[in-house]
Structures are given as structure tokens and as C-alpha cells.
Amino acid sequence: MTLPILYTLRQCPYAIRARLGLRLAEQEIDIRDISLTDKPAEMLSITPKGTVPLLVLSNGDYIDESLSIMVWALNQHDPHNLLLADSTHLFTDMINLIARNDCKYITALEHYKADIRYHNSDSMIYRNLCQSFLDDLELRLNKHRFFMCDHPSLADYAILPFIRQFSHIERQWFRHTPYPKLKAWLEQHYQDPIFSQVMKKKTLWQSEASTPSSYYETV
């Protein structure tokens, strides 16, 4: 049976969370790291959108949204109960938290990142908007070990790549921010072998003649 194929970019936060979802769901897939300046024809033949992540299923269907990839994978197999199947009262709050990340925080994050890069004075406005979300996360982590409860959920892994991105924009400044719980949470994920596995650098995929590589070959 042909493995599902994931077209991905190593440092893209959307691609990172797709890889996290697939790995946490223990899905064996063909990982194809690409360059956005040299997108493979095989990828563009599936959808001209040309963005990552792109998951091509064995039946030819595809998913091109990172959160949808995570949910698809965890619906196949959720060994860590990331969807909180036994805590349905938390599910709505979890979905709302992810939506706030995706619809508000990421917009401010993109502005913040661009303004710092181009030395725009508006950077502090967008950094403060980002911090309002981080303040909420810190409060949550004061109540329990992870965002929703004392074990990780979909929210932790869906938001992780974007907290990582925020922490990299002004590294020295971030080290001195009043987010001890959030920084400890971030470090805990960095020390998790799963994160190391999904971030492992691979040779760029070039064509169908390339040898497939799955997560299980990098463990």
C-alpha cells in the first residue's frame, strides 16, 4: 500500500505542527522536504496552491491545512488522548484557544516579525498584542502542567510552533520576559524526543526517484 505523502518545509511553523500531529498519531508517511524556490512538479500537479504542509492521502485526496492534518491524523489514532476524548467539557475551550492562536495571535506575530526585521516602530504594538495571548497561556500553566489540563492536548502541539517562533524574534528580550511557566513548557517540548524527530534535517526531496523517508527511519 502506498504511504501518504507529506510535502513540508523544515522551519515553517505550519509544517512543524502538521509533522507533530502525524508523529504523535504514529502515522507512517513519506516525508518530502522541499524548497519553496524550487517546488517539485509532483506537488504542484496535486494543487497549484503550492504551499506547505500538503498531505496527500493514499486514495489521492489531499489536505493542505496544518490543523486539519493534525485532526485527520489523530482521528486515525490518538494514543496520547490529545483530542481529550474523555474530557469533552474541555474540548470547546481547547478549540477556542486554538482558534484564538490561529485567527488573532498569528496575525500579530507576523506583523511583529516583519516589523522587527525592517526596523518598523510599530513592532512594540504587535509584540504587545502577542503578549496578551502569552499572558493567557501563562495563567493556564499556573493552573496545570499544560494548556488544558495536566497532560498535553491538541492545543499544546498546535500552538507550540508559533510560541517557538515568537521566542526566536528577539531572543535576548524573550529570555527576560515574565513567563517562567511558558518558558519551562517550551523547554519541556524541546527536550521531548518527538520534537527532535520532527525537526530532524533531511535532504531536500527532488523527484519520485528519491528514496522515501518515514518518521520510523529517523527515530
Side-chain angles (χ1 to χ4, degrees):
M1 181 177 175
T2 304
L3 293 178
I5 298 167
L6 181 72
Y7 292 95
T8 182
L9 190 66
R10 181 172 176 268
Q11 294 290 352
C12 169
Y14 293 98
I16 292 171
R17 79 172 174 183
R19 297 197 305 270
L20 280 168
L22 290 160
R23 181 64 185 85
L24 288 158
E26 300 177 351
Q27 298 298 299
E28 190 171 6
I29 54 175
D30 179 357
I31 303 291
R32 297 183 177 181
D33 275 7
I34 67 161
S35 168
L36 291 182
T37 60
D38 186 21
K39 298 173 186 176
E42 291 88 348
M43 173 184 168
L44 295 175
S45 70
I46 297 161
T47 168
K49 184 178 176 183
T51 59
V52 294
L54 173 64
L55 179 67
V56 184
L57 304 178
S58 300
N59 65 2
D61 291 342
Y62 68 86
I63 308 172
D64 60 1
E65 297 291 341
S66 60
L67 185 60
S68 297
I69 292 172
M70 295 187 85
V71 172
W72 173 86
L74 292 169
N75 278 329
Q76 311 306 306
H77 185 47
D78 187 8
H80 307 286
N81 191 28
L82 299 182
L83 295 179
L84 304 179
D86 58 352
S87 307
T88 53
H89 62 289
L90 293 176
F91 185 81
T92 299
D93 185 28
M94 178 176 73
I95 295 303
N96 288 339
L97 182 64
I98 297 171
R100 185 178 171 198
N101 176 82
D102 287 14
C103 299
K104 294 183 177 180
Y105 169 72
I106 290 177
T107 299
L109 177 63
E110 289 299 320
H111 282 288
Y112 170 42
K113 181 175 67 173
D115 286 347
I116 288 294
R117 180 178 180 183
Y118 296 110
H119 307 288
N120 190 322
S121 60
D122 287 344
S123 62
M124 297 304 98
I125 295 173
Y126 291 106
R127 188 174 78 182
N128 289 339
L129 288 173
C130 290
Q131 285 191 260
S132 68
F133 183 60
L134 269 58
D135 290 342
D136 182 23
L137 300 181
E138 184 74 12
L139 286 173
R140 288 172 176 270
L141 293 171
N142 278 321
K143 296 176 183 177
H144 25 67
R145 293 177 57 210
F146 297 93
F147 292 157
M148 304 308 306
C149 51
D150 283 330
H151 69 81
S153 71
L154 174 64
D156 293 276
Y157 291 104
I159 293 171
L160 170 61
F162 302 97
I163 303 303
R164 173 180 181 266
Q165 189 176 58
F166 180 90
S167 73
H168 287 180
I169 295 173
E170 294 180 281
R171 292 174 188 262
Q172 189 63 27
W173 172 84
F174 183 76
R175 290 191 188 99
H176 295 93
T177 53
Y179 298 118
K181 297 289 187 179
L182 186 62
K183 285 184 277 191
W185 170 91
L186 192 60
E187 184 61 29
Q188 182 176 349
H189 282 295
Y190 287 164
Q191 297 303 318
D192 188 336
I194 287 176
F195 187 79
S196 299
Q197 290 159 13
V198 302
M199 293 304 297
K200 185 172 182 179
K201 192 171 184 178
K202 297 176 180 291
T203 302
L204 291 181
W205 186 86
Q206 298 293 332
S207 71
E208 290 185 339
S210 302
T211 302
S213 59
S214 75
Y215 280 127
Y216 296 95
E217 294 169 345
T218 65
V219 173

